[in-house]
Amino acid sequence: MTDTYALAELQKESRMGGVGTENADRAIPRIDLTDFEARRAEITEELWTAATEIGFFQLVNHGIPQDQVDRVFAEAARFFSLPDETKGRFPLLPGTNAGWEKLSQTRPSVGTPDQKESYQVTRPRMDGLWPDDAELAGFQDFVLAFEAQCWDLAMRVLSCFAEKLGFDRDFFARAHDPASPEYQSTLRLIHYLPVPEDQKGRPGVWRAGAHTDFDCLTLLFQRDGQGGLQVCPGRDADAQEWTPVTPSDDAITCNIGDMLMRWSDDRLLSNFHRVKLPGQGDYTGSRFSIPFFAQANRDVVIDPPLGTYPPITADDYLQERVSANYRKG
């Protein structure tokens, strides 16, 4: 059953299918993580300001080596170059967040399938879902090692929010324990399909329709020149004023998810974002992006410190949000 919060979010998302207006002048904050421990207090304040006022920010000097970022995009390209019949041996099944899908996610905001394919990695659910070394040598080991680097970075950021919310520094690291069989954080490799010239800017079709993320924190890796991401800061989205996010090889774009917004008694903002089709003069080839979704283990109880919402397990919360917001295309 969908609770009042989820129903309100579904209704809000359904209003986000319009084009809206674009505000290219609004800046997405860039936060430098150099000397993280020595500068923890300063960085915490910068993160808190960005997360409470906008809900989006970019991390630079974040500690994940550039050669590792470059390689994960190369591995994604290798995977998606496999024939569909091969990728089809690793299917994304409902409720698992693990495996491959293509043109299967339809959002209430637009009612048309996202123009993409994706491969999702959720550690405890990957049995039978990896290509073997004959197909993609070294793929599994590298992707798992990269996922671990993403987890470490996400937990550093979340440790700052934990302290601001009155929790201890390691609160969210325990809630996202990768050693637990209840672990459900996900690394997703995404391939947005090339857009034919006659499909540029086609009304009602999006590479990814307007949505919020359901997790605590998303880390998004993008490539220079492969734009299209737009954000709508502020949960009052009625004005639909969208801000383009310039992709960058060396910056990680981050956003707060619905789970952390609830956990923070709505102090940290989860905001709408989407990926538009290319317009005139835009790059129309394949677009790759790689998000890591930090979402609490299934058995963890989300209990906001101020009591704005009743306690709920992370599993029940995510199932509620997914069932309300995804339809099969």
Side-chain angles (χ1 to χ4, degrees):
M1 180 179 294
T2 303
D3 70 7
T4 303
Y5 175 85
L7 180 59
E9 291 305 294
L10 176 60
Q11 292 170 339
K12 190 180 296 181
E13 184 171 334
S14 296
R15 298 197 300 269
M16 297 298 289
V19 175
T21 60
E22 188 168 298
N23 181 358
D25 295 329
R26 183 191 284 121
I28 302 298
R30 289 170 68 91
I31 299 174
D32 189 338
L33 299 190
T34 301
D35 298 328
F36 180 82
E37 289 302 332
R39 297 176 52 241
R40 172 181 279 275
E42 173 191 351
I43 290 170
T44 295
E45 292 306 316
E46 291 180 2
L47 289 169
W48 184 260
T49 298
T52 56
E53 294 183 359
I54 299 176
F56 272 83
F57 49 91
Q58 292 185 315
L59 303 177
V60 295
N61 298 316
H62 44 71
I64 299 180
Q66 188 61 47
D67 65 337
Q68 300 292 288
V69 175
D70 293 340
R71 181 173 170 187
V72 77
F73 278 99
E75 294 294 339
R78 283 210 300 156
F79 177 84
F80 291 121
S81 69
L82 294 172
D84 281 4
E85 56 266 30
T86 300
K87 292 177 288 190
R89 300 203 326 263
F90 321 119
L92 174 68
L93 300 177
T96 65
N97 246 13
W100 175 74
E101 62 78 28
K102 183 177 183 180
L103 298 173
S104 71
Q105 294 182 339
T106 301
R107 304 181 192 274
S109 62
V110 291
T112 56
D114 287 353
Q115 299 298 294
K116 64 177 176 58
E117 57 179 326
S118 68
Y119 177 72
Q120 303 187 67
V121 176
T122 303
R123 284 178 177 267
R125 306 174 188 172
M126 295 302 293
D127 287 350
L129 296 178
W130 292 106
D132 60 34
D133 275 348
E135 293 162 326
L136 289 180
F139 177 80
Q140 177 178 343
D141 288 346
F142 178 79
V143 168
L144 286 174
F146 188 81
E147 190 269 357
Q149 292 183 81
C150 292
W151 181 91
D152 182 72
L153 176 57
M155 294 310 110
R156 276 190 282 154
V157 173
L158 287 173
S159 74
C160 297
F161 293 137
E163 292 183 309
K164 293 290 287 186
L165 292 169
F167 301 126
D168 69 86
R169 184 174 294 184
D170 296 327
F171 177 84
F172 287 118
R174 292 193 301 274
H176 296 75
D177 179 8
S180 169
E182 305 301 316
Y183 183 70
Q184 57 178 356
S185 295
T186 299
L187 181 71
R188 181 182 296 170
L189 313 182
I190 301 178
H191 172 216
Y192 294 95
L193 305 177
V195 178
E197 283 293 321
D198 62 356
Q199 297 295 307
K200 278 186 174 182
R202 180 182 167 193
V205 178
W206 301 86
R207 279 181 153 173
H211 64 283
T212 58
D213 291 343
F214 304 152
D215 59 347
C216 281
L217 178 70
T218 302
L219 310 180
L220 178 66
F221 299 84
Q222 301 185 90
R223 299 271 82 181
D224 285 343
Q226 296 183 13
L229 177 64
Q230 298 177 317
V231 305
C232 190
R235 284 308 284 261
D236 183 3
D238 291 339
Q240 288 204 43
E241 190 173 86
W242 294 89
T243 298
V245 179
T246 302
S248 171
D249 285 356
D250 63 353
I252 301 173
T253 299
C254 302
N255 62 275
I256 304 301
D258 296 343
M259 183 180 287
L260 187 56
M261 183 169 173
R262 180 180 178 124
W263 221 330
S264 69
D265 297 282
D266 293 341
R267 284 174 283 180
L268 302 173
L269 302 177
S270 173
N271 291 321
F272 282 96
H273 49 285
R274 66 190 186 186
V275 181
K276 71 179 185 70
L277 284 181
Q280 293 302 316
D282 292 339
Y283 168 74
T284 60
S286 289
R287 178 183 185 270
F288 294 91
S289 70
I290 300 175
F292 173 76
F293 301 100
Q295 45 201 21
N297 291 9
R298 296 175 7 152
D299 55 349
V300 168
V301 176
I302 301 167
D303 190 5
L306 301 182
T308 302
Y309 301 101
I312 188 173
T313 66
D315 183 45
D316 286 344
Y317 178 72
L318 285 176
Q319 293 304 319
E320 193 173 80
R321 300 293 285 121
V322 169
S323 64
N325 282 268
Y326 276 126
R327 302 168 184 163
K328 296 296 288 183

